[in-house]
Amino acid sequence: ARTDGQMIQPEGPASICNPTTGELLFYTDGISVWNRSHQYTPNGAFVLHGSTNTTQSAVIVPVPGDSLRYLIFTADDKEDDDQGVEYALVDMSLDAGYGDIVFRNRELLTPTTEKLVAVTHSNGCDIWVIAHGVNNNWFYAWLVDRSGTPSAPVISKVGSIHPDKTGKVGYLKASPDGTKLVAVISGEYLGTTTVRSSAVDLLSFNAVTGEVGFIGDLPPE
């Protein structure tokens, strides 16, 4: 365990390690990027458009077939509609092997919910990154391959509608084998009165095509 980290993030941080040795490479709260020595990378202080109030503020994925390049995907919080899902590139060959940001904040989707998850493609190499739209039931799945550039999204219109503000909140998680997803849509309350109940959708995921299917609703408790 590393107990000397410098990040304070109450919700959705991300970290990445060397897949062979387990050595920490870098970590992020969706806003800044720290290297393995717990210092800001040269271009990494307060530059990304995630948030300390985003359920899943950041997801890090390696560029397939490349041991040095990594993509950071970020999502803004429920109060913002102008940034959505964006991505940045980190190159570990920079800053004497401690890594640095090459580019940042390239837009993929706006507005978006606070939900982000990554699933390995069936080929065992490429990676799907999945997010959800606002005021609709649209899932977006971008494929990351050896090019390092996310593809045009595969859009699946299934499951519950994720309304603006409160409905943006909640996790999107994948099963270990990547064949299932669970999406949580937070309830909406006015004082002690429930305006809209929480929803939990169980979904299938096709790791070949990037398509999401609806299986059913789960009890919220």
Side-chain angles (χ1 to χ4, degrees):
R2 297 291 298 268
T3 61
D4 50 352
Q6 297 302 301
M7 176 176 61
I8 299 175
Q9 165 60 295
E11 295 200 42
S15 62
I16 195 78
C17 68
N18 182 300
T20 302
T21 66
E23 177 190 29
L24 177 68
L25 296 178
F26 64 91
Y27 55 98
T28 179
D29 57 359
I31 303 166
S32 299
V33 178
W34 290 263
N35 64 28
R36 63 180 180 272
S37 292
H38 309 297
Q39 304 295 318
Y40 291 124
T41 63
N43 294 299
F46 306 100
V47 295
L48 303 181
H49 290 161
S51 170
T52 56
N53 295 316
T54 300
T55 310
Q56 293 172 280
S57 182
V59 168
I60 302 169
V61 302
V63 174
D66 192 325
S67 62
L68 295 175
R69 294 188 300 156
Y70 295 82
L71 295 180
I72 302 175
F73 292 83
T74 59
D76 61 8
D77 68 43
K78 64 183 176 64
E79 300 300 330
D80 295 323
D81 292 327
D82 58 340
Q83 291 159 349
V85 174
E86 299 178 341
Y87 70 101
L89 176 67
V90 172
D91 189 332
M92 293 304 298
S93 70
L94 302 177
D95 194 30
Y98 282 86
D100 195 14
I101 295 175
V102 177
F103 62 75
R104 55 188 168 86
N105 302 329
R106 292 192 176 180
E107 184 178 298
L108 289 173
L109 172 67
T110 186
T112 182
T113 66
E114 299 185 3
K115 304 169 177 71
L116 274 176
V117 71
V119 177
T120 302
H121 189 282
S122 291
N123 62 20
C125 181
D126 300 335
I127 299 170
W128 295 101
V129 176
I130 309 165
H132 199 284
V134 177
N135 287 325
N136 57 43
N137 64 345
W138 294 20
F139 286 90
Y140 295 77
W142 296 272
L143 184 65
V144 178
D145 60 16
R146 292 173 182 268
S147 71
T149 301
S151 68
V154 176
I155 300 175
S156 303
K157 303 175 183 181
V158 295
S160 301
I161 291 175
H162 296 219
D164 198 5
K165 303 306 179 186
T166 305
K168 289 181 173 182
V169 179
Y171 281 95
L172 177 63
K173 288 292 188 178
S175 61
D177 64 3
T179 63
K180 303 289 190 302
L181 299 174
V182 167
V184 179
I185 306 96
S186 176
E188 188 173 354
Y189 304 94
L190 182 62
T192 59
T193 303
T194 301
V195 178
R196 181 181 56 80
S197 298
S198 299
V200 182
D201 287 352
L202 177 62
L203 307 129
S204 62
F205 183 69
N206 187 323
V208 176
T209 65
E211 295 173 300
V212 178
F214 184 69
I215 297 175
D217 295 320
L218 296 175
E221 295 180 354

